[in-house]
């Protein structure tokens, strides 16, 4: 079911509790009573249409009215992406780390193996961190530059030069699969790790990994299907305006 | 391999828990089933097959001995007898080994590990691992940090063949990254932890 602005916010959570993390990113707090999505968004100063697109894209992987999402300002999209970055690095990753740490401490039979997982995950964390830094330092500022240029009347040489140096299709190419290692880690636990004595913790960890993987997939989808096409389109527009070949 | 199913049969809670805490130290995935009576042991054996029984033979009732012995022989279950009295010896149940009550921890560990170890060997020969021996060798080299080219040179095959092997390995195992494959290699004893890096 596609979520619309008149649905109760509470029902959105009932429908898919993973959407809690999205609400958190928009700064929307629980306790909305019977208020609709629209009413709740207004209270928290959130663009309702943007919220709807994001939450629907998150809940239904096949739902992607790209055109509509592409109409939103770049800043709105990158702000959201940046918030998901913070959510990964400040909440999810530390949560998973402490779960693994707890497993190491409480495990009597598999300490060495769990330590392997720990090392693997810390490698992953580094990778994720680099990935995020690159996006925030290089990609996001570039998208803003392109948008500004696109809406200004004059295209300066500076912008064109930067477009020559870096263009969004470079990002598209180098945008590696950051979920790959999570997938490996899940499979190692599910298929190959001899079950440690603390199974509850192990299941909790798996649950968290599945959650993070879904979230990161969704995140990459917004980048690849919304941000990249939008910028590509604008790059073309700028070249046209500057009288260059497209 | 699947988890080792272990039955611990003794009336004494102290013995059951003492033994199980020793077994916990063996780094093999296992489940321990505590059993308190001869009847219970028989009904357990009628419904499922454990890999290892550690039991106080004296507690098995005479009327059950024959049946239990048959099951153990038929299913090739390892049987470790728990003995309070050295002179007692049951000649009806084939014992793989004996644990005496005054044994120290290391002796007990050794006896149980040996039995579990022999289980693992049988298990390996029974069903071949999911990836072939050739693929195992390649996983080993990947885990050691070798590049496709280095692996090709070392194993006298073309790089193209190495890539094909890698694709198959990834498909079979569901693991793509080098560090993921390294963990797989360690968990499956293809390499030792200290060989990495």
């Amino acid at each position: 079911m596609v979520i619309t602005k008149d649905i109760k916010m509470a029902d959105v959570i009932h429908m898919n509790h993973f959407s809690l993390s999205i609400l958190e990113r928009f700064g929307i707090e629980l306790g909305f009573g019977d208020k609709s999505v629209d009413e709740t968004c207004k209270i928290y100063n959130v663009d309702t249409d943007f919220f709807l697109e994001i939450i629907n894209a998150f809940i239904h992987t096949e739902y992607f009215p790209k055109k509509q999402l592409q109409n939103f300002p770049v800043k709105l999209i990158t702000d959201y992406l940046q918030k998901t970055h913070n959510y990964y690095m400040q909440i999810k990753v530390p949560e998973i780390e402490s779960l693994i740490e707890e497993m190491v401490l409480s495990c009597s039979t598999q300490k060495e193996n769990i330590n392997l997982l720990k090392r693997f995950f810390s490698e992953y964390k580094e990778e994720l961190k680099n990935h995020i830094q690159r996006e925030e330092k290089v990609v996001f500022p570039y998208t803003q530059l392109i948008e500004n240029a696109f809406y200004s009347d004059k295209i300066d040489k500076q912008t064109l030069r930067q477009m020559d140096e870096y263009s969004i299709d470079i990002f598209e190419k180098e945008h590696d699969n950051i979920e790959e290692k999570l997938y490996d880690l899940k499979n190692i636990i599910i298929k190959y790790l001899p079950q440690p004595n603390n199974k509850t913790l192990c299941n909790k960890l798996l649950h968290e990994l599945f959650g993070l993987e879904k979230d990161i997939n969704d995140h990459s989808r917004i980048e690849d299907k919304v941000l990249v096409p939008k910028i590509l389109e604008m790059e073309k527009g700028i070249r046209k305006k500057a009288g260059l070949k497209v | 391999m699947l988890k080792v199913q272990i039955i611990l049969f003794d009336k004494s809670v102290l013995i059951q828990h003492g033994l199980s805490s020793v077994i916990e130290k063996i780094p093999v995935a296992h489940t321990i089933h505590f059993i308190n009576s001869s009847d219970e042991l028989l009904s357990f054996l009628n419904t499922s097959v454990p890999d290892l029984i550690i039991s106080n033979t004296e507690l098995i009732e005479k009327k059950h001995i024959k049946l239990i012995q048959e099951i153990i022989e038929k299913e090739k279950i390892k049987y470790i007898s728990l003995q309070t009295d050295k002179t007692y010896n049951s000649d009806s149940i084939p014992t793989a080994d004996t644990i005496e009550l005054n044994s120290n921890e290391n002796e007990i560990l050794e006896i149980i590990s040996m039995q579990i170890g022999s289980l693992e060997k049988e298990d390996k020969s029974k069903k071949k691992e999911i990836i072939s021996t050739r693929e195992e060798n390649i996983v080993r080299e990947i885990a050691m940090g070798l590049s496709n080219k280095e692996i090709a040179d070392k194993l006298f095959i073309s790089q193209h063949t190495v890539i094909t092997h890698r694709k198959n390995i990834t498909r079979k195992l569901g693991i793509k990254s080098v560090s993921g494959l390294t963990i797989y290699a360690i968990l499956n004893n293809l390499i030792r932890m200290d060989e990495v890096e």
Side-chain angles (χ1 to χ4, degrees):
Chain A
M1 186 178 148
V2 174
I3 292 163
T4 59
K5 68 181 173 55
D6 299 318
I7 289 179
K8 285 178 194 162
M9 192 59 110
D11 289 340
V12 175
I13 311 290
H14 279 299
M15 230 181 284
N16 185 328
H17 70 274
F18 282 112
S19 46
L20 277 172
S21 61
I22 307 277
L23 263 66
E24 200 177 317
R25 260 163 250 174
F26 279 99
I28 299 174
E29 288 169 10
L30 295 178
F32 18 70
D34 279 332
K35 290 194 192 67
S36 70
V37 168
D38 194 32
E39 288 164 331
T40 322
C41 281
K42 288 216 166 80
I43 292 173
Y44 289 96
N45 236 339
V46 169
D47 185 316
T48 307
D49 292 325
F50 185 65
F51 176 81
L52 283 174
E53 291 309 309
I54 294 289
I55 198 111
N56 277 316
F58 183 78
I59 294 179
H60 316 283
T61 31
E62 69 291 353
Y63 172 92
F64 235 115
K66 297 168 218 163
K67 278 281 162 290
Q68 221 172 319
L69 250 179
Q70 280 170 31
N71 289 334
F72 294 107
V74 161
K75 184 93 174 71
L76 208 55
I77 302 173
T78 52
D79 271 358
Y80 171 76
L81 292 173
Q82 189 139 12
K83 270 184 209 142
T84 68
H85 287 165
N86 295 346
Y87 174 75
Y88 300 149
M89 293 317 286
Q90 282 155 27
I91 300 177
K92 278 293 132 186
V93 167
E95 245 173 47
I96 292 173
E97 277 178 326
S98 72
L99 263 178
I100 297 180
E101 195 53 46
E102 219 182 306
M103 275 174 81
V104 173
L105 289 176
S106 68
C107 193
S108 50
T109 49
Q110 299 281 329
K111 252 191 185 35
E112 281 192 343
N113 292 339
I114 311 285
N115 268 320
L116 284 177
L117 296 189
K118 184 174 156 185
R119 207 168 79 184
F120 186 86
F121 191 74
S122 81
E123 262 176 48
Y124 176 72
K125 182 186 167 185
E126 268 319 294
E127 229 172 77
L128 187 64
K129 204 163 89 190
N130 291 337
H131 180 94
I132 285 174
Q133 266 171 5
R134 172 118 183 116
E135 283 184 9
E136 293 183 353
K137 294 229 166 79
V138 180
V139 186
F140 293 174
Y142 177 77
T143 60
Q144 198 55 58
L145 175 98
I146 292 298
E147 190 184 46
N148 293 345
F150 183 77
Y151 287 113
S152 74
D153 302 324
K154 260 181 45 210
I155 313 282
D156 54 26
K157 287 214 170 74
Q158 174 85 20
T159 312
L160 289 172
R161 209 172 48 234
Q162 262 172 302
M163 273 172 64
D164 280 338
E165 270 166 27
Y166 184 84
S167 100
I168 201 71
D169 51 4
I170 295 179
F171 168 70
E172 207 180 0
K173 274 184 210 116
E174 70 181 12
H175 198 203
D176 44 356
N177 261 337
I178 198 71
E179 320 83 64
E180 191 173 276
K181 274 212 166 125
L182 278 183
Y183 175 83
D184 284 3
L185 187 53
K186 269 168 37 193
N187 257 339
I188 287 169
I189 300 174
I190 297 172
K191 292 166 79 175
Y192 306 113
L193 185 75
Q195 271 269 286
N197 50 351
N198 36 22
K199 298 179 190 69
T200 327
L201 272 177
C202 191
N203 287 348
K204 227 187 200 167
L205 174 65
L206 261 181
H207 189 79
E208 285 298 326
L209 292 174
F210 270 102
L212 182 61
E213 189 190 36
K214 173 177 172 17
D215 209 303
I216 291 183
N217 267 327
D218 177 69
H219 175 87
S220 315
R221 218 166 58 233
I222 291 179
E223 288 172 343
D224 296 342
K225 301 239 162 88
V226 181
L227 193 61
V228 170
K230 186 178 167 74
I231 301 300
L232 270 177
E233 211 43 50
M234 286 179 168
E235 282 177 344
K236 258 191 224 162
I238 293 170
R239 286 210 178 85
K240 214 179 255 168
K241 247 196 255 181
L244 295 170
K245 265 193 290 178
V246 179
Chain B
M1 88 176 243
L2 286 170
K3 285 166 95 180
V4 178
Q5 303 291 325
I6 302 172
I7 285 187
L8 265 186
F9 172 32
D10 197 283
K11 278 204 165 63
S12 155
V13 175
L14 283 179
I15 291 176
Q16 284 187 344
H17 287 259
L19 263 179
S20 91
S21 75
V22 175
I23 295 172
E24 282 293 309
K25 298 203 167 123
I26 301 173
V28 167
H30 60 266
T31 311
I32 298 176
H33 307 273
F34 294 110
I35 287 190
N36 299 307
S37 72
S38 189
D39 281 320
E40 206 187 324
L41 178 62
L42 189 59
S43 63
F44 186 101
L45 291 177
N46 278 328
T47 51
S48 57
V49 182
D51 299 296
L52 176 65
I53 300 177
I54 302 173
S55 145
N56 186 336
T57 314
E58 292 165 56
L59 294 177
I60 300 178
E61 286 173 35
K62 283 250 154 35
K63 55 177 180 181
H64 293 152
I65 282 207
K66 189 127 190 66
L67 269 173
I68 291 177
Q69 178 206 343
E70 275 171 22
I71 297 172
I72 288 176
E73 281 176 349
K74 187 167 150 264
E75 305 287 353
K76 298 202 173 64
I77 302 168
K78 307 275 178 206
Y79 184 91
I80 297 179
S81 151
L82 207 53
Q83 235 149 297
T84 39
D85 181 1
K86 277 185 189 173
T87 55
Y88 181 89
N89 209 338
S90 151
D91 43 21
S92 47
I93 296 181
T95 53
D97 214 326
T98 309
I99 294 176
E100 274 153 33
L101 274 192
N102 56 5
S103 311
N104 65 32
E105 188 178 288
N106 283 339
E107 285 165 359
I108 297 174
L109 270 175
E110 199 177 312
I111 288 168
I112 299 174
S113 301
M114 241 176 67
Q115 293 310 321
I116 293 179
S118 67
L119 273 172
E120 272 187 317
K121 265 180 221 123
E122 281 165 27
D123 191 72
K124 260 194 193 129
S125 55
K126 228 186 285 168
K127 59 171 176 42
K128 205 71 205 120
E129 294 297 307
I130 3 177
I131 55 173
S132 69
T133 318
R134 187 56 155 183
E135 285 162 347
E136 275 185 353
N137 287 338
I138 289 179
V139 170
R140 221 185 96 83
E141 303 303 340
I142 296 171
M144 303 288 276
L146 267 63
S147 70
N148 284 348
K149 170 131 190 10
E150 287 166 326
I151 296 174
D153 290 347
K154 190 168 171 186
L155 301 179
F156 303 107
I157 51 178
S158 74
Q159 270 196 69
H160 182 75
T161 313
V162 177
I163 292 168
T164 312
H165 278 307
R166 286 188 77 147
K167 273 189 196 145
N168 289 337
I169 290 165
T170 295
R171 182 174 46 80
K172 287 185 188 170
L173 299 181
I175 302 176
K176 291 178 192 156
S177 64
V178 171
S179 31
L181 289 171
T182 309
I183 297 189
Y184 176 86
I186 295 172
L187 288 179
N188 288 279
N189 302 317
L190 299 179
I191 52 170
R192 284 194 321 273
M193 200 143 349
D194 53 9
E195 282 180 288
V196 189
E197 285 156 339

